[in-house]
Amino acid sequence: MMNRRDLLSHSAKLAALLATTGLLPGVAHAAYNAAAFDAKTMADLMKALGAGTPTESKDVSITAPDIAENGAVVPVGASTALAGVRKLAILVEKNPAVLSALFEVTDSVDANMGTRVKMGQSSNVYAVAIMADGRVLYAMKEVKVTLGGCGG
Amino acid sequence: MKFIPLLAATAALLACGAVVSQTKTASDGIAEYRKMLEDGNPAELFEAKGEDLWKTARGPKKASLQACNLGLGPGVVKGAFVQLPRWFADTGRVQDLESRLLTCMETLQGFNAAEIAKTGFDKGEQATLTALSAWISSESRGMKMALPQAHAEERRFYELGKRAFFFRGGPMDFSCASCHGEDGKRIRLQDLPNLTKNPGDGLGFAAWPAYRVSSGEMWSMQRRLNDCYRQQRFPYPGYASDLTIALGVYMGVNAQGAQSIAPALKR
Amino acid sequence: MADPMRIRAQVSGDKATVRVLMSHEMETGLRKDSAGKLIPAWHIQDVTALHNGKVVMTAQWGPSVSKNPFLQFNVRGAKAGDKITITWKDNKGESRTDEATVS
Amino acid sequence: MQRKHLITAAAAVLVTAGCATVSMVTPAQLDEQALALHREAFREQGIAKLDRIEQDLGQKACSSPNPPPDAVVQQIEAQALASVKWPTGGVYLGDWREGEKLAQNGRGMTWTDATADTKANGAQCYNCHQIDQKEISFGTIGPSLYNYGKLRGVKDVTDPAAAPIVQYTWAKLWNSKAYSACSNMPRFGHAKLLSEQQIRDVMALLLDPKSPVNQ
């Protein structure tokens, strides 16, 4: 792990660089897909992403706990060993909007993304892989969200 | 009402229904969840901030805290956390980490300690204290709790803290001991450390400050105690008041030898 | 300005595991304050990861990513001494970039 | 932090006089000092006024790792039992569905709660007890209450044979100290934490043969 001081001074330089160019070096960023993040169902989401009908697949894995001690932080991972993955998505079925995170992967990273999401209640959680050949594959797991502590 | 005592006995006999095997599964599930969160504790973000705040010249006197004596000599941070609260000759008081930081912020940096003590958590210089305690505690990570008890005041505070721990009051008759006085108890699915003795490495006093997952906040020990009193339905305890410091001495001395994992990650 | 990220990038085999903690409220826009007023959404929308200056991954996040977000991924072919750069941008247009050296 | 406490000052005098040890301060003096520490530390906030740290007989007697003497225990229990207000019209049971909601709810009476009205309060049962088996997140400070009525043979709450257990349960909820002077359980009726109707609903959760608790 790098020294924190170095990290700070380095990032200050970087920030200065970015400020002068006004651009991130070499980043062609897709515009934020607001429609996808408004989608209430998996079907709506696929429409917003311009993707086909998803099918369950053993080649896609979801990592999530059986029980979450608190819904504010639920660790979720999506991965697949398949080649030709374009996007990986993490969905929570019963959240007000189903999509939590959408990753655009390149050949320079494993198709294996981990993050943490909020869950309002117990729900199915999905890892979805959108493939270069148009296939949409998913894995699903139920996560129980428990009430904890004194509750006051 | 004559029937009642007899029935009470019957009821007591019947009271211990079976706790189903599902419990074990739930506890295992929680353990698995906690393990998944171990790597990447957001407390790190506060540690980084605290280290910066310690070293930055701030306050009316434009001074850093690097000359602050946390008990092991001016500027010595490593190992200081596991020996607090302790007696300080310059103030003539037993002080916990946050009380001591207030002293340093006042004497070295020229802040008004009483004003900061009155400020709400996470606001203004209180946010500074939270970050500082996160970093200072992290500098003793893995060390064993070793509160000194050589000074008479330290021993007196232990006795006062013990009394505070068992003090029942409020509309629900709660004391600290209501929840933390026995082994193997839980509130909901959360294990309750028995704080009347050494509850083990990284439990209870040896786990705070901690990042609270439920609120997404960094909590210092003072904040932890403040919320315990809130949940006990007590009135509002003064920040770094002698009562809270005495409780710290009681829990810290009981935890003697326990390894500190602060700043930890909590529900 | 937003607080710095914590980035750890560690070699394991022929790749490096990158773990990032970001300091952000990630307000959902669905919560109310104590006065009953809706707190506006405020969350990271875009994340970009660079390996020695080359984009290796981008992400879009909604408000349901947890407060003080955590991100983990593996960069193929990354070696000790390589640079990993992470940038996030939120829906208010604020952004933050930090860099770490693979160890 | 300029506040210098009298007791601290007094202790400092002892210290400077030399050879000060805790043994020089008697337990009774420490008790007094601890009380003073409480009075000094707390301020009122919202609905949490300072009268909350004024202890009654039972609170005071149960503020120690050791139980109070037998005579005091009996006094506390007798007072508690005498304090029980029996339900108006002899109606002991309400709606178990409402009872379940109350059992789940751990809110009320803190300084962040707007009102001390019983309507704002939960009964907090799951914090300490297993009740409905479907709820896996339950505490273990109190005994399991799963099958509470069934285990005690309550098939019809209006049956006179069920009266003793029904009445015991009511009294336990109203003032838990009636059967155990230092019980950890709050005095829901006596301390005005729950209304009569709310207690009826919790009673139904525990005793109604139709309640999921008794399946």
Side-chain angles (χ1 to χ4, degrees), chain B:
Chain B
M1 251 4 100
K2 274 201 192 93
F3 61 88
I4 284 178
L6 180 73
L7 253 145
T10 320
L13 278 174
L14 289 167
C16 299
V19 172
V20 287
S21 58
Q22 205 176 15
T23 313
K24 181 128 202 316
T25 323
S27 300
D28 289 351
I30 295 289
E32 177 204 32
Y33 167 83
R34 288 184 189 155
K35 191 137 189 65
M36 290 174 86
L37 288 179
E38 249 171 28
D39 214 3
N41 181 350
E44 276 187 38
L45 296 164
F46 296 84
E47 291 171 31
K49 213 177 189 170
E51 184 179 5
D52 252 19
L53 285 162
W54 178 263
K55 293 171 179 171
T56 307
R58 299 173 68 248
K61 293 188 184 171
K62 302 253 181 305
S64 81
L65 288 168
Q66 281 163 301
C68 179
N69 184 349
L70 296 172
L72 303 180
V76 181
V77 176
K78 202 166 187 57
F81 176 74
V82 290
Q83 296 193 30
L84 286 166
R86 68 187 300 149
W87 163 263
F88 287 89
D90 57 354
T91 54
R93 295 180 58 207
V94 175
Q95 296 185 281
D96 68 358
L97 172 60
E98 289 158 84
S99 156
R100 190 59 188 171
L101 284 171
L102 281 177
T103 300
C104 288
M105 286 170 78
E106 182 158 280
T107 56
L108 298 173
Q109 299 183 308
F111 285 108
N112 182 336
E115 274 307 310
I116 299 173
K118 269 187 263 171
T119 308
F121 288 107
D122 267 353
K123 299 190 176 73
E125 291 302 321
Q126 276 285 344
T128 304
L129 281 165
T130 303
L132 284 169
S133 42
W135 177 63
I136 292 164
S137 64
S138 79
E139 288 289 293
S140 293
R141 192 182 271 127
M143 298 171 79
K144 290 180 182 352
M145 300 308 299
L147 279 73
Q149 281 279 281
H151 198 281
E153 275 297 272
E154 290 165 346
R155 295 194 294 275
R156 189 174 72 94
F157 263 60
Y158 178 86
E159 287 299 322
L160 294 175
K162 183 177 183 179
R163 283 161 176 78
F165 191 86
F166 287 94
F167 184 96
R168 295 186 89 167
M172 296 187 187
D173 309 325
F174 291 150
S175 70
C176 306
S178 304
C179 291
H180 295 286
E182 280 182 75
D183 289 347
K185 298 291 183 187
R186 302 191 323 224
I187 277 195
R188 291 281 187 165
L189 280 173
Q190 281 68 49
D191 294 322
L192 296 162
N194 180 352
L195 302 175
T196 66
K197 56 176 206 178
N198 182 349
D201 289 346
L203 295 171
F205 195 75
W208 296 88
Y211 182 82
R212 282 285 300 244
V213 160
S214 49
S215 57
E217 291 165 333
M218 187 72 214
W219 278 19
S220 65
M221 190 64 200
Q222 278 288 329
R223 177 128 191 218
R224 171 65 278 185
L225 291 177
N226 180 277
D227 199 61
C228 280
Y229 273 127
R230 189 181 68 85
Q231 298 278 14
Q232 274 174 243
R233 276 74 181 180
F234 275 45
Y236 197 98
Y239 182 85
S241 55
D242 282 349
L243 180 75
T244 57
I245 293 168
L247 274 172
V249 173
Y250 177 67
M251 295 186 292
V253 169
N254 288 345
Q256 216 75 292
Q259 215 175 59
S260 172
I261 59 159
L265 186 77
K266 292 282 186 182
R267 181 193 66 83

Side-chain angles (χ1 to χ4, degrees), chain D residues 62-126:
Chain D
C62 299
S63 286
S64 151
N66 309 310
D70 287 349
V72 179
V73 166
Q74 281 158 22
Q75 194 188 349
I76 294 167
E77 292 179 359
Q79 279 184 12
L81 193 54
S83 82
V84 174
K85 187 176 172 290
W86 300 98
T88 316
V91 181
Y92 282 89
L93 260 60
D95 180 350
W96 64 262
R97 290 169 201 84
E98 292 304 314
E100 168 68 14
K101 281 186 214 159
L102 285 162
Q104 288 282 1
N105 183 348
R107 291 187 178 278
M109 304 302 278
T110 74
W111 69 64
T112 47
D113 290 299
T115 168
D117 192 302
T118 55
K119 285 195 213 60
N121 298 344
Q124 330 172 42
C125 312
Y126 283 103

